[in-house]
């Protein structure tokens, strides 16, 4: 049975109420499409695209004309899950001498379902394009497609991503490479991959602010490596970032220091200070940082409770997630969270989040959300019929006896 491999979201997702380590969304096998059930395929998806069956389009992938190959790569994903049978041939087109079908093939692998048996070869193919392709756009597309795979599946691509993290062509590609290193460098048993950590330390000196931000964030969330020499190198690099003029970099540098050294108020207080910043984006980053720290940020729970009243809905929502990440230790937040979800004037997603947070903290089921009162309707106005004046309108009906 194949897994439906979906594209991965941002490393700091807003999937609140999650305090577990990163896991593969692909492990959920509900409604997974079975590649062996050919009858189910035919019943649910198009038999033809452009008046031609899938088999003819797959044949076109080997046509000598690159425009024909490229057109086939645009058509095949339209067949849905049945098109998975074309994956082996599409991988060959990832090595196409012509850049147009080559980039189209890499994009197609991001849309098609991939059978388990094909995953290692697909990842290997993508890593080869990231490392060696002469076109920057194709390297970027290969990384985008790679991001759909889970942590363990994507680890073989780490060497290619490390190389890409120093590619001078475009900062966007370097930023994405660092982001993926933060994903695939995670290892709950062995500690973070030192190759990824070293690449992030180098990226702290990148000329692009966006790349530096991604690097300091990665170092902060991956945690302390078992290698003491690498840990000392990271600590030395992060210390220089704690007073960075960019508040986002400073915030995540403090998070990293808390993960590397003693988790006390020394580095938490500078993060908490930003909860009062006039810039909502800075407040949001501070709340996210505290949520990432979880119970390590319990000292700042009162400030997070105050953030529930922030005028920005996104800050409120993130504060709920951050409090929930502290688990049962955040029991003092239950009353304000309960009051929050009972406010019918607040947006329903925020109320639902607050209710779920209470359940996570208390371990007990909460009553349903109060239903907002129906809007009052004004009584219908009855307009009396117009009266006609016989004196001014001879056609008007006259009173009896007149």
């Amino acid at each position: 049975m194949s897994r439906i491999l979906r594209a991965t979201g941002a490393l700091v997702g807003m999937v609140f109420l999650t305090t577990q380590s990163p896991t593969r969304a692909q492990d959920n096998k509900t409604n997974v499409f079975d590649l062996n059930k050919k009858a189910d395929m035919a019943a649910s998806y198009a038999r033809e695209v452009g008046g031609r069956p899938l088999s003819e389009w797959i044949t076109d992938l080997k046509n000598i004309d690159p425009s024909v190959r490229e057109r086939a790569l645009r058509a095949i994903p339209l067949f849905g899950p049945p098109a998975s049978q074309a994956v082996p041939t599409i991988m060959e087109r990832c090595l196409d001498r012509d850049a147009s079908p080559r980039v189209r093939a890499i994009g197609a692998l991001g849309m098609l379902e991939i059978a388990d048996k094909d995953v290692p070869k697909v990842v290997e193919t993508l890593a080869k394009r990231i490392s060696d392709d002469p076109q920057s756009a194709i390297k970027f597309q290969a990384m985008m497609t790679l991001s759909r795979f889970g942590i363990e599946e994507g680890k073989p691509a780490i060497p290619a991503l490390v190389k890409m993290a120093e590619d001078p062509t475009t900062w966007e590609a370097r930023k994405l490479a660092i982001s993926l290193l933060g994903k695939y460098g995670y290892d709950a048993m062995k500690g973070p991959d030192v190759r990824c950590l070293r690449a992030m330390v180098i990226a702290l000196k990148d000329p692009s602010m966006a790349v530096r931000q991604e690097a300091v964030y990665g170092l902060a969330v991956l945690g302390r490596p078992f290698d003491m020499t690498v840990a000392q190198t990271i600590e030395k690099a992060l210390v220089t970032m704690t007073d960075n003029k960019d508040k986002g970099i400073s915030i995540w540098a403090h998070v990293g220091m808390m993960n590397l050294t003693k988790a006390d108020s020394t580095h938490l207080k500078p993060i908490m200070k930003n909860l009062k910043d006039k810039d909502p984006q800075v407040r949001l980053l501070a709340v996210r940082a505290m949520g990432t720290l979880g119970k390590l940020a319990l000292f700042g729970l009162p400030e997070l409770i105050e953030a529930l009243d922030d005028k920005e809905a996104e800050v409120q929502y993130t504060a709920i997630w951050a409090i929930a990440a502290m688990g049962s230790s955040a029991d003092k937040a239950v009353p304000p969270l309960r009051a929050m979800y009972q406010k019918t004037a607040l947006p329903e997603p925020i109320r639902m989040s607050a209710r779920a947070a209470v359940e996570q903290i208390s371990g007990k089921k909460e009553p349903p959300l109060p239903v907002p009162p129906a809007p009052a309707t004004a009584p219908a106005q009855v307009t009396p019929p117009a009266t006609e004046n016989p004196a001014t309108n001879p056609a008007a009906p006259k009173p009896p006896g007149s």
Side-chain angles (χ1 to χ4, degrees), residues 15 19 38 40 62 181 194 196 207 262 278 297 322-323 341 371 375 377 385:
V15 183
T19 58
K38 305 296 183 182
D40 290 347
K62 295 182 179 292
L181 287 171
V194 295
C196 303
K262 186 178 180 181
K278 62 181 181 180
I323 292 170
Y341 83 70
V371 179
T377 55

Side-chain angles (χ1 to χ4, degrees), residues 41 54 58 75-87 90 112-113:
M41 292 182 188
L54 176 60
I58 293 177
I76 287 172
L78 301 178
F79 284 91
S84 295
Q85 61 186 283
V87 166
I90 290 175
L112 296 174
E113 291 186 20

Side-chain angles (χ1 to χ4, degrees), residues 93-250:
R93 295 278 60 82
C94 291
L95 303 175
D96 200 296
R97 294 177 62 184
D98 192 293
S100 293
R102 193 162 74 244
V103 70
R104 188 70 70 176
I106 293 169
L109 291 176
M111 294 183 283
L112 296 174
E113 291 186 20
I114 311 294
D116 288 345
K117 64 181 180 63
D118 291 328
V119 169
K121 186 64 177 177
V122 170
V123 171
E124 179 186 345
T125 299
L126 294 172
K128 183 72 173 175
R129 291 301 90 211
I130 294 169
S131 176
D132 299 341
D133 202 282
Q135 300 276 347
S136 296
I138 293 179
K139 290 182 177 183
F140 190 88
Q141 181 62 60
M143 288 191 290
M144 291 294 293
T145 298
L146 177 68
S147 69
R148 70 179 290 185
F149 294 101
I151 294 173
E152 294 303 318
E153 293 166 336
K155 285 186 182 296
I158 286 178
L161 293 170
V162 168
K163 180 180 178 181
M164 194 65 206
E166 295 188 64
D167 189 296
T169 310
T170 167
W171 68 266
E172 290 178 296
R174 296 195 302 276
K175 179 178 182 292
L176 180 55
I178 293 294
S179 176
L180 292 176
L181 287 171
K183 175 182 178 179
Y184 297 125
Y186 177 82
D187 194 315
M189 299 299 295
K190 300 178 182 179
D193 192 302
V194 295
R195 297 171 296 177
C196 303
L197 296 174
R198 289 191 180 110
M200 290 173 182
V201 170
I202 293 172
L204 291 177
K205 297 181 180 180
D206 195 280
S208 167
M209 177 72 75
V211 177
R212 297 196 300 273
Q213 289 174 338
E214 196 68 47
V216 74
Y217 170 76
L219 290 170
V221 300
L222 278 179
R224 186 180 183 87
F226 294 155
D227 187 312
M228 291 301 297
T229 302
V230 176
Q232 290 171 359
T233 300
I234 295 172
E235 183 178 345
K236 183 178 179 181
L238 287 178
V239 165
T240 65
M241 294 288 177
T242 54
D243 294 324
N244 195 280
K245 63 180 180 180
D246 179 88
K247 293 181 179 180
I249 289 179
S250 174

